[in-house]
Each structure stands twice: as structure tokens, then as C-alpha cells.
Amino acid sequence: MATVIALVRNAFRVSPGAVLASSVASIVAAMLAVLVPILVGRAVGGAPDAVRGGPHPGYLLLLAILLVALLAGNLINLVGNSSAALTEGRLEQDSDLRIGWALSRHPELSSVDHPDVASRLQQIRPRLWEIRMATRLLLGPAISQLPALIGSAITLAVMLAWWAPLPLLATYAVAAEVTRRSILAQFDVFTGQTDAQKHAQYAFEQGMGKAAKEIRIFGLSDYLRRRAWDFSTTAYRPYWAMRRRKARSLVALSAVRVGVAVVVAAYAGWRAQSGTLSLTAFATALPVVLTMANSDAWMFAQLQRGISPLQWLNRLAPADQFDRAAPELSSAVSSRARLAERSPSAAEPAVATPAEAAPQIVFDEVSFGYPTSNKMILKDFSLELPAGAATALVGVNGAGKSTLVKLLTGGYLPSRGRILIDGQDLAGFDEQQRAAWQRRIAPITQDFLRLPLRAGDNVELGSGRAWSGRIDGPSPDITAELEQIATRAGIDDLIAKLPDGWATPLDKSLPGGRDLSGGEWQRIGLARALRAVDSGARLLILDEPAAALDVESEARLVDSYLDITRRLTSLIISHRFSVVRPVPIICVLERGRIVERGSHQELMTIPGGRYRTLFTLQASRYLAAVDQQEVSSR
Ligand SMILES: Nc1ncnc2c1ncn2[C@@H]1O[C@H](COP(=O)(O)OP(=O)(O)OP(=O)(O)O)[C@@H](O)[C@H]1O
């Protein structure tokens, strides 16, 4: 019963009208399932008299009612199916929007970064259709089946014998219970096989995803295919074995149900033959026996399948919280037209006020380790990013530079110590304050966004909204602003080369679209960060901004860097010493601590210093390459 209530509540929330319509249709269908055999019985029973004496008006009326009942059955089916399809569509949209909302609502990354969340999402997401399937069954056949069974049983008891429906009901109940157990056992087998399923799916997807090129070059396709096959066989083998076992018992049960129906029908035939059962009663009893014997016994078990994905969805994205926090999305589910008019991107973003000053940031004895590991990445880490000044951070791979960015942007909170923003502890910010803090940041992260949108949108998103407020909206006349950013970010030549300029989609699978190279994407990322600065962001974070740039573009970035970061607090992270060299404050991060701090000139004077060693190592390799080139050109 709890399952039924949960499914109905969930469906009624998104589609009350359609839920009512399907429920009414199902109840009417149940009434017709009882009424039609009674009418058929009367029509058959009255047929001999009608043939002998000609059809009298009462008989014709009966036939007319039977005809209307049969036609009404078709109409009711149509209403029920259309309403159920509408409800299903809305449920699908609702669950997608709720998952999207739940995973993106927190400013912290920990809610999505945790392997448990990813694994659960991968496991349950493909099962969301079971909520829809269970709801459809509930609102359709499940509602009509019980009243139809009870009505048929009463009809049979009255028309044939009081005990006649009992064996039919008893075999139905046994079949329903056995099917329920069998279906639930299938889940258990699958739930226990998720690791094998995950491996199989991963191996299958690799050959088609981003790694497809390397997979082919390394000749790994066969290896991946075998791996996908082996893992999927491992995942399915226990399932097949269980299905074989269960299939035998289900076939035996079906045979018993058919046998019972044949015995009851034969008893009716014997009584009609011996003259103790009227033709009307006999003609009514036969279709009733058929209805009862054919009642699907698996339906109620299927209802239960919907409950575990629904419980998961309700835990991840409680419906009442979603309705309160995102009324625009929530109401859009029940009105497709409104959703189409107003895409989610049109939601007003919290853009920082342009007047806001550049922040001062202090890491005060910060220690941090990821929740999934015992290792401390930062230990008693202290650093000041002075307001309105540029600071650079260098360090070897895995030193914790990107982790620092995640902490600074409020994606994670320190395990110990404080991060002070203008003297205020970031850990004390509520969700709204943390989101507002994130709007004051213009980032280029190592895995920067590459959205399959128009070039203009990819840059304009830095302002917190899509071009024109709608991803697919008309191009507004903001070209002057974008042109100015393009010059600063060095993408003016790139935009000029695109067939439709700013309006060119950056994905070659879209009409008129183009693909960009890694370095071109990185320059688009820089332009987006600059757009964010123009919209009020005052902390610029550039994490390896030159990783994909050619020498010329890198030189352009370095030359313009101090100009770009003027009046901003900025943090630039790079392995390339040529990139950090002009920055007035350079910090060297090692084993989770700042071990050196100063300008390039100051750091180069420290004998045996870490910066000096690494800089000399990198510079000497370039010089050796230049020498080599000169020798060979002579
Ligand atoms: N989500 C995560 N969960 C657990 N450990 C992580 C996570 N992200 C990073 N780490 C670990 O934290 C350490 C620091 O990683 P981080 O990415 O901050 O280094 P980095 O200095 O930016 O390295 P690189 O120069 O290679 O980009 C590494 O040992 C890494 O394995």
C-alpha cells in the first residue's frame, strides 16, 4: 500500500489532471469488464426467443447497450492511454530536472565529486524508467484489475456456484506472489553485479568516447571488446541461471491456472448440458472465467520495481524542496509550453556587482585531505593573496595546486584552519553567500568548459548568462563588447576565421559548426574569464592557462597578463616558469606548504633554492635546444 501511495503522490504532483483522468478511465474499464460478460450472457440467452419470435424492442435495446459498452471500452482505453503517456512524459522530465537540480544546487563539489554519488547515479539512473512503468501500470491496469476481479468473482458466484471463483482466485493469488518473488530476486541478482556491469559499460564506452583515437592506434579495440563481453557475461550469468529456475515454476503455475479455468468452464458446460444452468448464465460464466484466468499476476510485482528508484530520487532531490527551491522548473514540468519559452539558462544569475572591490584572501594554517582518502594534500598551509595584486604559484605535479583552487572557490572546505575572504571565514558563509562568492571569481581551470554552443555563448557565459539570456535565442547586438574582449584574449583572428563569426556553433556535429583545437579552446576560456571580470568578478584564477598555447599565444598572454589583471586579485598557476616570471609575487608549493615566496629576481638569488633550481633546469633545456638548432643550421 505504501508503494501505491508513494507512486500516486509522485505522479499527482506533476500531472494531477492526467492522473485523475487515467484513474477514472481505469475504474470505468473495470466496471465494463464485469458489465460486458453480463450483457453478452443476456444477449446469448435471449437469442433463441429473438430468432423464434423476431427481435422485440427490449432485446434490441440490450444489443444497443452492449454495442455502446464495447465502443465505450475503446474510448476509455484511448483516454487512459493518452493520460498515462502524458503523465509518463512529465515524470521523465521531472526526474531529470530534479537530479540536475540536486547535483548542481550546492556550491561545494563534495556532493558530486564523491565516488559513492557517481556510482549510485550510474546504478539508479538507468532504472528511472521503472518509476514511469510502475506508475503507468498502477494508473492503468492495476487500478482496474482488482475491482474487475472482485466483480467477476461475484458474478461467477451468482451465475454458476458460490465456490466457482475460489480456485480461480486462489491460483491467481499464488501466481501473483510467486511472480513478485521472482521479479524481486532479479533485482537482487543485478544489484549484486554492479561492479561487473560498470566495468562492462566502461569498456564498451571507451571505444566510442574521447579515447577512441588512441584505442584504435594502440590496437586496443579487440581487448576492450573481450573485456566488455567477459564482464557482461559475469554480470548476466547469475541472472540467466536464476531466470531459468524461475521460468520453470512460472510455467508450471500457468499450467495450473489454465487447468483450473478448464475445470470450472467444463463444470459450467456440464450443468448447461444437464439443464441445471440457463443459457444466459452459461454465456455469462464463460467470459468471466476467461477474464479471471487471464488476469496478469505480474502487475503488482512490477509496481514494487518502481519504488526503489523513486526512494533514491526522493532522497537525492526531495520533491517538496525542489518545488520550493526551483518553482520555475517545477511548474514548467506541468506546463511544457512555459518550459519551452523559458529555458533554464534564462534564470537570473547572481552576478557580482561591478562596483565590488578586489578581495584580499588569506589561507590561515589550512590543512585539507579529500573525504575519500586519508592523505593530507595541504598541511598547515598559509598564503596571502593581497587585494588587487597578482600572485603566481608553481609546484611539481600533485603538489596540490588545483586542490588549492577548489578550496579557494568554496568547492571544498578545509579540514583545519581558515580561508579568510576580506577577513571573513569562508567556512562560515551560508549557501547563498558561498554562491555569491563564486560569482566574484573568474576562473580558467585545467579542465575548462568546452560547450557545444555558439562562440558568442561560450564567451558570454562568463557573465553568468547565455548570449541573449537563452542558449538558443536570437543573437543580440552585443558584438561590440565581445569584440573588445576578443582583442584582449587574443581570439579576434579566431572569431574572424569562423564561418559565421560569433554565431558559429563550436561543435562540428551541429549545422554550420566547427571544432576548435585545444589551444583555441583555451583562448576561448580566457575570453570567458575576462567576460566574467567585466561583469563584476574580482578574483581571476588562471590554472595552467598556457598549457595548450603555442609559443606566440603564450608570449601574448604573458605580455598582456599584468594589464589583464590590473585592479584584480589574481592567482596564476603554471609549470611554465616563463609564464609566471613577470608576476610580482611567486610562491613555490611543495609537499602541501609554501617553501619560497618572492619576485623572480628575489627567488633567483637564493642559492640552491627550489625556484632557482627548477627555473634553471627548465631554461637550460630550452637553451640546449636552441644551441642544438644553431649548431645544426651552421
Ligand atoms: N577528487 C579527489 N579525490 C581524492 N584525491 C584527489 C582528488 N583530486 C586530486 N586528488 C589528489 O590530490 C593530490 C593533489 O592533486 P592536485 O590536482 O591538487 O595537484 P596539482 O598540483 O594541481 O597537480 P598537477 O600539476 O599535475 O595539475 C594528488 O595526489 C591527487 O591524486
Side-chain angles (χ1 to χ4, degrees), residues 19-53:
V19 167
L20 274 178
S22 354
S23 311
V24 170
S26 300
I27 291 167
V28 175
M31 288 158 64
L32 288 175
V34 178
L35 185 67
V36 167
I38 295 174
L39 293 174
V40 167
R42 289 189 171 268
V44 173
D49 284 348
V51 171
R52 269 196 307 272

mmCIF file of all heavy atoms in Angstrom, residues 19-53:
data_model
loop_
_atom_site.group_PDB
_atom_site.id
_atom_site.type_symbol
_atom_site.label_atom_id
_atom_site.label_comp_id
_atom_site.label_asym_id
_atom_site.label_seq_id
_atom_site.Cartn_x
_atom_site.Cartn_y
_atom_site.Cartn_z
ATOM 1 N N VAL A 19 -3.538 12.263 -14.048
ATOM 2 C CA VAL A 19 -3.645 11.150 -13.091
ATOM 3 C C VAL A 19 -5.117 10.877 -12.792
ATOM 4 O O VAL A 19 -5.565 9.721 -12.767
ATOM 5 C CB VAL A 19 -2.864 11.483 -11.792
ATOM 6 C CG1 VAL A 19 -3.207 10.517 -10.672
ATOM 7 C CG2 VAL A 19 -1.365 11.443 -12.070
ATOM 8 N N LEU A 20 -5.897 11.949 -12.597
ATOM 9 C CA LEU A 20 -7.335 11.763 -12.328
ATOM 10 C C LEU A 20 -8.013 11.103 -13.524
ATOM 11 O O LEU A 20 -8.796 10.158 -13.376
ATOM 12 C CB LEU A 20 -7.978 13.117 -12.052
ATOM 13 C CG LEU A 20 -7.883 13.595 -10.598
ATOM 14 C CD1 LEU A 20 -8.509 14.965 -10.457
ATOM 15 C CD2 LEU A 20 -8.549 12.591 -9.659
ATOM 16 N N ALA A 21 -7.664 11.613 -14.733
ATOM 17 C CA ALA A 21 -8.301 11.076 -15.948
ATOM 18 C C ALA A 21 -7.986 9.592 -16.096
ATOM 19 O O ALA A 21 -8.885 8.779 -16.364
ATOM 20 C CB ALA A 21 -7.824 11.847 -17.178
ATOM 21 N N SER A 22 -6.700 9.197 -15.896
ATOM 22 C CA SER A 22 -6.400 7.762 -16.065
ATOM 23 C C SER A 22 -7.063 6.927 -14.987
ATOM 24 O O SER A 22 -7.495 5.810 -15.252
ATOM 25 C CB SER A 22 -4.907 7.429 -16.062
ATOM 26 O OG SER A 22 -4.098 8.488 -16.042
ATOM 27 N N SER A 23 -7.132 7.478 -13.738
ATOM 28 C CA SER A 23 -7.753 6.679 -12.676
ATOM 29 C C SER A 23 -9.239 6.448 -12.978
ATOM 30 O O SER A 23 -9.744 5.330 -12.837
ATOM 31 C CB SER A 23 -7.640 7.384 -11.325
ATOM 32 O OG SER A 23 -6.326 7.794 -11.143
ATOM 33 N N VAL A 24 -9.927 7.523 -13.399
ATOM 34 C CA VAL A 24 -11.356 7.380 -13.715
ATOM 35 C C VAL A 24 -11.534 6.389 -14.869
ATOM 36 O O VAL A 24 -12.395 5.494 -14.829
ATOM 37 C CB VAL A 24 -11.972 8.761 -14.065
ATOM 38 C CG1 VAL A 24 -13.367 8.610 -14.634
ATOM 39 C CG2 VAL A 24 -11.992 9.646 -12.827
ATOM 40 N N ALA A 25 -10.671 6.524 -15.897
ATOM 41 C CA ALA A 25 -10.765 5.621 -17.054
ATOM 42 C C ALA A 25 -10.581 4.167 -16.609
ATOM 43 O O ALA A 25 -11.277 3.266 -17.080
ATOM 44 C CB ALA A 25 -9.709 6.002 -18.097
ATOM 45 N N SER A 26 -9.634 3.956 -15.673
ATOM 46 C CA SER A 26 -9.376 2.578 -15.230
ATOM 47 C C SER A 26 -10.557 2.018 -14.446
ATOM 48 O O SER A 26 -10.891 0.832 -14.565
ATOM 49 C CB SER A 26 -8.122 2.530 -14.361
ATOM 50 O OG SER A 26 -7.045 2.984 -15.105
ATOM 51 N N ILE A 27 -11.176 2.871 -13.624
ATOM 52 C CA ILE A 27 -12.327 2.375 -12.844
ATOM 53 C C ILE A 27 -13.497 2.042 -13.778
ATOM 54 O O ILE A 27 -14.159 1.008 -13.636
ATOM 55 C CB ILE A 27 -12.724 3.413 -11.763
ATOM 56 C CG1 ILE A 27 -11.603 3.452 -10.711
ATOM 57 C CG2 ILE A 27 -14.053 3.071 -11.108
ATOM 58 C CD1 ILE A 27 -11.653 4.607 -9.762
ATOM 59 N N VAL A 28 -13.720 2.922 -14.770
ATOM 60 C CA VAL A 28 -14.792 2.642 -15.738
ATOM 61 C C VAL A 28 -14.474 1.356 -16.498
ATOM 62 O O VAL A 28 -15.360 0.513 -16.738
ATOM 63 C CB VAL A 28 -14.979 3.837 -16.711
ATOM 64 C CG1 VAL A 28 -15.989 3.507 -17.793
ATOM 65 C CG2 VAL A 28 -15.416 5.083 -15.946
ATOM 66 N N ALA A 29 -13.183 1.164 -16.857
ATOM 67 C CA ALA A 29 -12.792 -0.056 -17.585
ATOM 68 C C ALA A 29 -13.091 -1.288 -16.733
ATOM 69 O O ALA A 29 -13.541 -2.327 -17.253
ATOM 70 C CB ALA A 29 -11.311 0.003 -17.943
ATOM 71 N N ALA A 30 -12.874 -1.187 -15.399
ATOM 72 C CA ALA A 30 -13.146 -2.325 -14.506
ATOM 73 C C ALA A 30 -14.644 -2.633 -14.491
ATOM 74 O O ALA A 30 -15.070 -3.796 -14.530
ATOM 75 C CB ALA A 30 -12.663 -1.996 -13.100
ATOM 76 N N MET A 31 -15.464 -1.557 -14.465
ATOM 77 C CA MET A 31 -16.916 -1.771 -14.456
ATOM 78 C C MET A 31 -17.362 -2.442 -15.760
ATOM 79 O O MET A 31 -18.200 -3.346 -15.764
ATOM 80 C CB MET A 31 -17.652 -0.439 -14.255
ATOM 81 C CG MET A 31 -17.500 0.083 -12.818
ATOM 82 S SD MET A 31 -17.769 1.861 -12.640
ATOM 83 C CE MET A 31 -19.443 2.000 -13.098
ATOM 84 N N LEU A 32 -16.762 -1.988 -16.865
ATOM 85 C CA LEU A 32 -17.142 -2.578 -18.160
ATOM 86 C C LEU A 32 -16.719 -4.045 -18.236
ATOM 87 O O LEU A 32 -17.417 -4.865 -18.841
ATOM 88 C CB LEU A 32 -16.488 -1.798 -19.309
ATOM 89 C CG LEU A 32 -17.072 -0.400 -19.572
ATOM 90 C CD1 LEU A 32 -16.256 0.331 -20.643
ATOM 91 C CD2 LEU A 32 -18.529 -0.487 -20.007
ATOM 92 N N ALA A 33 -15.558 -4.363 -17.595
ATOM 93 C CA ALA A 33 -15.083 -5.762 -17.640
ATOM 94 C C ALA A 33 -16.089 -6.699 -16.986
ATOM 95 O O ALA A 33 -16.183 -7.876 -17.330
ATOM 96 C CB ALA A 33 -13.720 -5.877 -16.952
ATOM 97 N N VAL A 34 -16.858 -6.183 -16.004
ATOM 98 C CA VAL A 34 -17.884 -7.018 -15.355
ATOM 99 C C VAL A 34 -19.200 -6.942 -16.144
ATOM 100 O O VAL A 34 -19.895 -7.945 -16.332
ATOM 101 C CB VAL A 34 -18.090 -6.547 -13.899
ATOM 102 C CG1 VAL A 34 -19.175 -7.365 -13.211
ATOM 103 C CG2 VAL A 34 -16.775 -6.628 -13.138
ATOM 104 N N LEU A 35 -19.509 -5.720 -16.618
ATOM 105 C CA LEU A 35 -20.800 -5.498 -17.276
ATOM 106 C C LEU A 35 -20.905 -6.223 -18.629
ATOM 107 O O LEU A 35 -21.942 -6.832 -18.950
ATOM 108 C CB LEU A 35 -20.986 -3.981 -17.479
ATOM 109 C CG LEU A 35 -22.314 -3.537 -18.051
ATOM 110 C CD1 LEU A 35 -23.438 -3.810 -17.042
ATOM 111 C CD2 LEU A 35 -22.305 -2.049 -18.415
ATOM 112 N N VAL A 36 -19.819 -6.187 -19.399
ATOM 113 C CA VAL A 36 -19.891 -6.749 -20.759
ATOM 114 C C VAL A 36 -20.235 -8.240 -20.746
ATOM 115 O O VAL A 36 -21.149 -8.674 -21.471
ATOM 116 C CB VAL A 36 -18.601 -6.429 -21.567
ATOM 117 C CG1 VAL A 36 -18.513 -7.268 -22.842
ATOM 118 C CG2 VAL A 36 -18.571 -4.938 -21.919
ATOM 119 N N PRO A 37 -19.578 -9.096 -19.898
ATOM 120 C CA PRO A 37 -19.973 -10.516 -19.893
ATOM 121 C C PRO A 37 -21.440 -10.704 -19.505
ATOM 122 O O PRO A 37 -22.133 -11.578 -20.053
ATOM 123 C CB PRO A 37 -19.048 -11.147 -18.850
ATOM 124 C CG PRO A 37 -17.888 -10.229 -18.745
ATOM 125 C CD PRO A 37 -18.410 -8.863 -19.039
ATOM 126 N N ILE A 38 -21.921 -9.842 -18.559
ATOM 127 C CA ILE A 38 -23.340 -9.973 -18.169
ATOM 128 C C ILE A 38 -24.236 -9.657 -19.370
ATOM 129 O O ILE A 38 -25.198 -10.379 -19.678
ATOM 130 C CB ILE A 38 -23.670 -9.047 -16.980
ATOM 131 C CG1 ILE A 38 -22.871 -9.514 -15.750
ATOM 132 C CG2 ILE A 38 -25.166 -9.001 -16.687
ATOM 133 C CD1 ILE A 38 -22.992 -8.615 -14.540
ATOM 134 N N LEU A 39 -23.906 -8.581 -20.099
ATOM 135 C CA LEU A 39 -24.701 -8.195 -21.277
ATOM 136 C C LEU A 39 -24.602 -9.269 -22.361
ATOM 137 O O LEU A 39 -25.607 -9.618 -23.012
ATOM 138 C CB LEU A 39 -24.220 -6.846 -21.832
ATOM 139 C CG LEU A 39 -24.465 -5.625 -20.930
ATOM 140 C CD1 LEU A 39 -23.813 -4.376 -21.524
ATOM 141 C CD2 LEU A 39 -25.974 -5.391 -20.739
ATOM 142 N N VAL A 40 -23.374 -9.817 -22.543
ATOM 143 C CA VAL A 40 -23.186 -10.870 -23.554
ATOM 144 C C VAL A 40 -24.053 -12.082 -23.188
ATOM 145 O O VAL A 40 -24.767 -12.654 -24.031
ATOM 146 C CB VAL A 40 -21.696 -11.277 -23.675
ATOM 147 C CG1 VAL A 40 -21.538 -12.565 -24.486
ATOM 148 C CG2 VAL A 40 -20.892 -10.160 -24.328
ATOM 149 N N GLY A 41 -24.037 -12.438 -21.888
ATOM 150 C CA GLY A 41 -24.832 -13.580 -21.429
ATOM 151 C C GLY A 41 -26.299 -13.380 -21.723
ATOM 152 O O GLY A 41 -26.984 -14.270 -22.242
ATOM 153 N N ARG A 42 -26.780 -12.164 -21.432
ATOM 154 C CA ARG A 42 -28.201 -11.885 -21.674
ATOM 155 C C ARG A 42 -28.508 -11.905 -23.173
ATOM 156 O O ARG A 42 -29.570 -12.395 -23.588
ATOM 157 C CB ARG A 42 -28.586 -10.519 -21.091
ATOM 158 C CG ARG A 42 -28.583 -10.589 -19.578
ATOM 159 C CD ARG A 42 -29.147 -9.368 -18.911
ATOM 160 N NE ARG A 42 -29.271 -9.662 -17.496
ATOM 161 C CZ ARG A 42 -30.366 -10.167 -16.931
ATOM 162 N NH1 ARG A 42 -31.424 -10.370 -17.654
ATOM 163 N NH2 ARG A 42 -30.398 -10.442 -15.642
ATOM 164 N N ALA A 43 -27.604 -11.349 -23.970
ATOM 165 C CA ALA A 43 -27.828 -11.325 -25.426
ATOM 166 C C ALA A 43 -27.880 -12.755 -25.974
ATOM 167 O O ALA A 43 -28.755 -13.092 -26.778
ATOM 168 C CB ALA A 43 -26.721 -10.534 -26.111
ATOM 169 N N VAL A 44 -26.926 -13.606 -25.495
ATOM 170 C CA VAL A 44 -26.911 -15.001 -25.986
ATOM 171 C C VAL A 44 -28.164 -15.736 -25.490
ATOM 172 O O VAL A 44 -28.845 -16.451 -26.243
ATOM 173 C CB VAL A 44 -25.620 -15.724 -25.544
ATOM 174 C CG1 VAL A 44 -25.674 -17.208 -25.891
ATOM 175 C CG2 VAL A 44 -24.402 -15.078 -26.195
ATOM 176 N N GLY A 45 -28.494 -15.540 -24.183
ATOM 177 C CA GLY A 45 -29.658 -16.219 -23.593
ATOM 178 C C GLY A 45 -30.966 -15.836 -24.289
ATOM 179 O O GLY A 45 -31.877 -16.659 -24.462
ATOM 180 N N GLY A 46 -31.054 -14.566 -24.718
ATOM 181 C CA GLY A 46 -32.301 -14.103 -25.367
ATOM 182 C C GLY A 46 -32.335 -14.383 -26.851
ATOM 183 O O GLY A 46 -33.362 -14.162 -27.506
ATOM 184 N N ALA A 47 -31.193 -14.833 -27.409
ATOM 185 C CA ALA A 47 -31.120 -15.011 -28.868
ATOM 186 C C ALA A 47 -32.149 -15.995 -29.412
ATOM 187 O O ALA A 47 -32.822 -15.704 -30.414
ATOM 188 C CB ALA A 47 -29.712 -15.418 -29.273
ATOM 189 N N PRO A 48 -32.354 -17.218 -28.766
ATOM 190 C CA PRO A 48 -33.328 -18.170 -29.333
ATOM 191 C C PRO A 48 -34.724 -17.550 -29.446
ATOM 192 O O PRO A 48 -35.387 -17.685 -30.491
ATOM 193 C CB PRO A 48 -33.308 -19.326 -28.333
ATOM 194 C CG PRO A 48 -31.965 -19.232 -27.679
ATOM 195 C CD PRO A 48 -31.645 -17.784 -27.638
ATOM 196 N N ASP A 49 -35.172 -16.825 -28.379
ATOM 197 C CA ASP A 49 -36.511 -16.201 -28.439
ATOM 198 C C ASP A 49 -36.584 -15.185 -29.562
ATOM 199 O O ASP A 49 -37.579 -15.080 -30.284
ATOM 200 C CB ASP A 49 -36.822 -15.491 -27.104
ATOM 201 C CG ASP A 49 -37.176 -16.513 -26.031
ATOM 202 O OD1 ASP A 49 -37.384 -17.698 -26.412
ATOM 203 O OD2 ASP A 49 -37.194 -16.139 -24.840
ATOM 204 N N ALA A 50 -35.472 -14.390 -29.685
ATOM 205 C CA ALA A 50 -35.446 -13.344 -30.715
ATOM 206 C C ALA A 50 -35.519 -13.971 -32.107
ATOM 207 O O ALA A 50 -36.174 -13.439 -33.005
ATOM 208 C CB ALA A 50 -34.179 -12.507 -30.589
ATOM 209 N N VAL A 51 -34.854 -15.147 -32.258
ATOM 210 C CA VAL A 51 -34.870 -15.816 -33.570
ATOM 211 C C VAL A 51 -36.281 -16.341 -33.855
ATOM 212 O O VAL A 51 -36.812 -16.165 -34.951
ATOM 213 C CB VAL A 51 -33.840 -16.970 -33.598
ATOM 214 C CG1 VAL A 51 -33.998 -17.814 -34.864
ATOM 215 C CG2 VAL A 51 -32.419 -16.394 -33.522
ATOM 216 N N ARG A 52 -36.871 -16.954 -32.793
ATOM 217 C CA ARG A 52 -38.217 -17.538 -32.995
ATOM 218 C C ARG A 52 -39.273 -16.468 -33.230
ATOM 219 O O ARG A 52 -39.961 -16.467 -34.224
ATOM 220 C CB ARG A 52 -38.608 -18.353 -31.747
ATOM 221 C CG ARG A 52 -38.193 -19.828 -31.871
ATOM 222 C CD ARG A 52 -38.932 -20.682 -30.831
ATOM 223 N NE ARG A 52 -38.772 -20.175 -29.485
ATOM 224 C CZ ARG A 52 -37.747 -20.526 -28.671
ATOM 225 N NH1 ARG A 52 -36.827 -21.366 -29.106
ATOM 226 N NH2 ARG A 52 -37.656 -20.040 -27.452
ATOM 227 N N GLY A 53 -39.373 -15.476 -32.300
ATOM 228 C CA GLY A 53 -40.495 -14.526 -32.382
ATOM 229 C C GLY A 53 -40.118 -13.197 -33.003
ATOM 230 O O GLY A 53 -40.900 -12.251 -32.974
#
